[in-house]
Coordinates of all heavy atoms in Angstrom, one line a residue:
A144 N -15.8 4.6 9.1 CA -15.4 3.3 8.6 C -15.1 2.3 9.7 O -14.5 2.7 10.7 CB -14.2 3.5 7.7
V145 N -15.4 1.1 9.4 CA -15.0 0.0 10.4 C -13.6 -0.4 10.2 O -13.1 -0.6 9.1 CB -15.9 -1.3 10.1 CG1 -15.5 -2.4 11.0 CG2 -17.4 -1.0 10.2
D146 N -12.9 -0.4 11.4 CA -11.5 -0.8 11.4 C -11.3 -2.2 11.9 O -11.6 -2.4 13.1 CB -10.7 0.2 12.3 CG -9.2 -0.2 12.5 OD1 -8.8 -1.1 11.8 OD2 -8.6 0.4 13.4
P147 N -11.0 -3.2 11.1 CA -10.8 -4.5 11.6 C -9.7 -4.7 12.6 O -9.7 -5.8 13.3 CB -10.5 -5.3 10.3 CG -11.1 -4.5 9.2 CD -10.8 -3.1 9.6
G148 N -8.8 -3.8 12.7 CA -7.7 -3.9 13.7 C -6.7 -5.0 13.3 O -6.0 -5.5 14.2
T149 N -6.5 -5.3 12.0 CA -5.6 -6.4 11.7 C -4.2 -5.9 11.6 O -3.9 -4.7 11.2 CB -6.0 -6.9 10.3 OG1 -6.2 -5.8 9.4 CG2 -7.4 -7.7 10.4
A150 N -3.3 -6.8 11.8 CA -1.8 -6.4 11.8 C -1.3 -6.7 10.4 O -0.3 -6.2 10.0 CB -1.0 -7.2 12.8
S151 N -2.0 -7.6 9.6 CA -1.6 -7.9 8.2 C -2.9 -8.2 7.4 O -3.9 -8.6 8.0 CB -0.6 -9.0 8.2 OG -1.2 -10.2 8.6
F152 N -2.8 -8.1 6.1 CA -3.9 -8.4 5.3 C -4.3 -9.9 5.4 O -5.5 -10.2 5.2 CB -3.6 -8.0 3.8 CG -4.8 -8.1 2.9 CD1 -6.0 -7.5 3.2 CD2 -4.6 -8.8 1.7 CE1 -7.0 -7.6 2.3 CE2 -5.7 -8.9 0.8 CZ -6.9 -8.3 1.1
G153 N -3.4 -10.7 5.7 CA -3.7 -12.2 5.8 C -4.6 -12.5 7.0 O -5.2 -13.6 7.0
E154 N -4.8 -11.5 7.9 CA -5.7 -11.7 9.0 C -7.2 -11.4 8.7 O -8.1 -11.7 9.4 CB -5.3 -10.9 10.2 CG -3.9 -11.2 10.8 CD -3.5 -10.3 12.0 OE1 -4.3 -9.4 12.3 OE2 -2.4 -10.5 12.5
F155 N -7.4 -10.8 7.5 CA -8.7 -10.3 7.2 C -9.7 -11.5 7.1 O -10.9 -11.3 7.6 CB -8.7 -9.5 5.9 CG -10.1 -9.0 5.5 CD1 -10.5 -7.8 6.0 CD2 -10.9 -9.7 4.6 CE1 -11.8 -7.3 5.7 CE2 -12.2 -9.2 4.3 CZ -12.6 -8.0 4.9
P156 N -9.4 -12.6 6.5 CA -10.4 -13.7 6.4 C -10.9 -14.2 7.8 O -12.0 -14.4 8.0 CB -9.7 -14.8 5.7 CG -8.8 -14.1 4.8 CD -8.3 -12.9 5.6
T157 N -9.9 -14.2 8.7 CA -10.3 -14.6 10.1 C -11.2 -13.6 10.8 O -12.1 -13.9 11.5 CB -9.0 -14.9 10.9 OG1 -8.2 -15.9 10.3 CG2 -9.3 -15.3 12.4

Side-chain angles (χ1 to χ4, degrees):
V145 176
D146 174 13
T149 51
S151 69
F152 186 52
E154 295 179 1
F155 183 83
T157 301

